[in-house]
Amino acid sequence: MNLFRPSTSSLLFYVPFRRLKTYSPLNKTHIEQVLQSWTSEIPVERALTLPSSFYTSRDVFELERHAIFGQNWLFTGHKNQLKNPGDYITGRFLSEPYIINVDKSSTLRGHYNVCCHHGMRLLKDDQGHLETNEIICPYHGWTYDLNGRLRKALRLKTIEQFKASKIRLKPISIQTIGPFIYLNLNLLNNDNIENDLSHINIIHDKYLTSTNYDQLEFITRKSYPIKCNWKIYVDNFLDGGYHVPYAHKKLNSILNMDEYKVIVEHPKASVQYCTGASRAEGNVNYSYIYPNLMINRYGSSMDLNIVVPVDERNCIVHMDYYYCPKTTTKQDQEILLKDSDSVQQEDIYLCENVQLGLESQAYDSGRYVPIVEHTMYSFHSTLFHELQKYYDNHIK
């Protein structure tokens, strides 16, 4: 039995909310002005970068909540975090808390981490195991099985027009590609939800499978609150290594930057790679999967950057670390975490100060350096198209 076989019901059977929470802009005129301030029709050699309002506007952020993070596949975990029935991981994207768990039949399930009674968050730990194979609400004790069905709720004798067998946690579509688990919060376009995985498959098949990344073991997660718009962090990753010689001196010393290549494989996927020395000996691969996942594969290690927006001026970056248990010592792990933290602190300094600059009246748009920043331009173009499409279809 395939432990990580996503359930058919999770992928194809959607129970929509009775009342979908759609976006209503605070200032429709402002949104129109922002979207009219940029175009992807100008080639990167002549294009201006996204105007600063894309990084500072509350309306743009609220539009992204639905148009970007409510429509795309989002990384949520690694299959070795979910090995046995009752194992679970939880998390939250913006206002949407989720549970991914393994049920009694060893099927992976995805649900909103929200009780059907009064909306209480059910599980609070990031990762754990349910010894009783039940999800019990800590508020009033409503109890659900691992498939999300309500199994027990007390003191309901006088309730009317209620059938417990019909009550279940709202499901979330999930998919596994390689060792990674992805979810999709789309409640509006369920028929085509499985058809938008090609960009993830490209990165998996072309750049990661040959590195045996599925054999790596999860070490830990570190989270970094950053005072910048989430797109600034993505932009920083997608500048084609342009900032590495100036901002990351130690990293620069172990990468062969003269060999650095930057490739856009798909409007939602790009890769940067070179060879390295020291702990990054061999091929070094920096993959980006739209909208918020970065995969850094080098030597016997791998780390992931998962960027989660908080508001228009803040985000959290989760760093997930993996290693090869056969070749990596405890000391190697400690060095990996220490070196990675140094790079993160350097990037945080850059990103927070770019946010400060974007707030200034002295700046609106800049320029792309085409030979290295065409991946950033591709990201901006994809983002712009999705914002414009959602605006046209749901708001205009």
Side-chain angles (χ1 to χ4, degrees):
M1 182 175 293
N2 182 1
L3 175 61
F4 302 104
R5 169 177 50 83
S7 66
T8 302
S9 62
S10 292
L11 292 172
L12 302 179
F13 177 65
Y14 247 92
V15 180
F17 292 108
R18 294 181 200 169
R19 174 175 53 86
L20 289 175
K21 298 177 181 178
T22 55
Y23 167 60
S24 178
L26 300 173
N27 189 330
K28 185 176 177 181
T29 300
H30 173 64
I31 286 291
E32 291 176 346
Q33 290 173 344
V34 172
L35 293 176
Q36 290 170 6
S37 69
W38 197 78
T39 177
S40 61
E41 300 301 317
I42 300 174
V44 65
E45 292 80 7
R46 291 188 280 114
L48 296 177
T49 58
L50 284 180
S52 58
S53 54
F54 279 83
Y55 301 85
T56 61
S57 166
R58 181 69 183 189
D59 286 327
V60 171
F61 173 79
E62 292 296 337
L63 183 58
E64 290 172 345
R65 177 197 295 270
H66 298 275
I68 309 302
F69 292 94
Q71 307 289 314
N72 285 281
W73 288 96
L74 306 171
F75 172 86
T76 183
H78 192 284
K79 68 181 184 182
N80 69 22
Q81 296 174 270
L82 296 164
K83 296 181 178 180
N84 302 299
D87 288 350
Y88 70 87
I89 57 175
T90 70
R92 177 174 173 168
F93 280 105
L94 295 166
S95 61
E96 305 301 343
Y98 61 84
I99 303 169
I100 309 295
N101 68 274
V102 184
D103 71 11
K104 288 184 178 180
S105 66
S106 295
T107 299
L108 207 59
R109 299 280 181 175
H111 296 96
Y112 285 88
N113 189 12
V114 178
C115 182
C116 300
H117 180 213
H118 285 324
M120 178 70 182
R121 183 178 63 159
L122 294 165
L123 300 174
K124 66 177 183 178
D125 295 330
D126 293 338
Q127 182 175 349
H129 178 77
L130 299 165
E131 294 290 347
T132 62
N133 287 324
E134 296 175 322
I135 301 171
I136 303 174
C137 179
Y139 197 178
H140 298 103
W142 283 37
T143 303
Y144 304 85
D145 65 21
L146 297 179
N147 299 328
R149 292 174 296 193
L150 181 66
R151 299 303 300 270
K152 182 172 68 175
L154 301 178
R155 304 177 73 174
L156 301 181
K157 289 184 179 180
T158 60
I159 195 171
E160 299 179 3
Q161 299 181 353
F162 178 90
K163 193 170 183 179
S165 61
K166 299 293 184 181
I167 304 300
R168 62 176 299 153
L169 302 178
K170 298 297 186 292
I172 294 175
S173 275
I174 55 174
Q175 266 284 18
T176 57
I177 298 179
F180 293 161
I181 306 165
Y182 298 85
L183 62 79
N184 196 305
L185 299 170
N186 190 335
L187 289 169
L188 300 173
N189 188 25
N190 309 317
D191 293 338
N192 297 320
I193 199 169
E194 291 183 76
N195 299 327
D196 192 24
L197 292 161
S198 60
H199 60 298
I200 302 175
N201 282 309
I202 288 172
I203 298 299
H204 168 75
D205 295 341
K206 193 170 180 178
Y207 293 98
L208 293 176
T209 300
S210 62
T211 71
N212 298 318
Y213 79 122
D214 56 334
Q215 298 176 18
L216 302 180
E217 293 288 331
F218 177 73
I219 304 175
T220 189
R221 164 173 284 191
K222 294 184 68 175
S223 298
Y224 296 86
I226 307 179
K227 297 176 182 178
C228 75
N229 184 279
W230 69 277
K231 296 187 293 298
I232 292 177
Y233 192 90
V234 177
D235 289 349
N236 181 66
F237 185 85
L238 294 178
D239 76 353
Y242 196 19
H243 72 285
V244 171
Y246 310 99
H248 303 308
K249 301 293 187 182
K250 185 173 182 179
L251 179 62
N252 185 64
S253 70
I254 64 173
L255 296 179
N256 295 317
M257 296 301 294
D258 292 341
E259 302 175 358
Y260 208 87
K261 304 295 183 184
V262 183
I263 300 175
V264 176
E265 288 285 358
H266 184 281
K268 293 186 177 183
S270 62
V271 176
Q272 305 168 61
Y273 63 90
C274 65
T275 58
S278 183
R279 70 176 178 86
E281 185 174 0
N283 294 325
V284 179
N285 182 312
Y286 301 110
S287 300
Y288 168 66
I289 295 176
Y290 182 88
N292 68 328
L293 174 63
M294 293 134 234
I295 305 167
N296 311 302
R297 182 73 174 95
Y298 46 86
S300 60
S301 304
M302 175 176 69
D303 56 70
L304 311 183
N305 311 53
I306 307 104
V307 189
V308 180
V310 174
D311 57 33
E312 68 273 23
R313 291 174 172 86
N314 293 275
C315 65
I316 296 174
V317 174
H318 300 301
M319 294 291 300
D320 286 0
Y321 295 94
Y322 302 82
Y323 75 108
C324 177
K326 295 180 180 179
T327 61
T328 308
T329 66
K330 185 70 173 178
Q331 183 179 14
D332 291 334
Q333 293 180 41
E334 293 173 354
I335 294 172
L336 164 67
L337 295 175
K338 181 180 179 181
D339 288 351
S340 175
D341 181 71
S342 296
V343 173
Q344 288 308 303
Q345 296 301 333
E346 291 164 351
D347 279 332
I348 288 171
Y349 173 80
L350 299 175
C351 292
E352 292 189 342
N353 280 278
V354 168
Q355 182 70 46
L356 291 175
L358 294 177
E359 303 279 353
S360 170
Q361 63 182 353
Y363 184 91
D364 185 45
S365 291
R367 295 297 299 268
Y368 300 99
V369 177
I371 60 172
V372 286
E373 294 184 326
H374 53 287
T375 48
M376 186 191 303
Y377 174 78
S378 176
F379 163 55
H380 291 170
S381 297
T382 300
L383 177 105
F384 177 78
H385 285 304
E386 292 199 336
L387 293 177
Q388 186 71 65
K389 180 180 178 181
Y390 191 92
Y391 177 80
D392 291 342
N393 291 341
H394 300 287
I395 299 171
K396 192 173 182 178

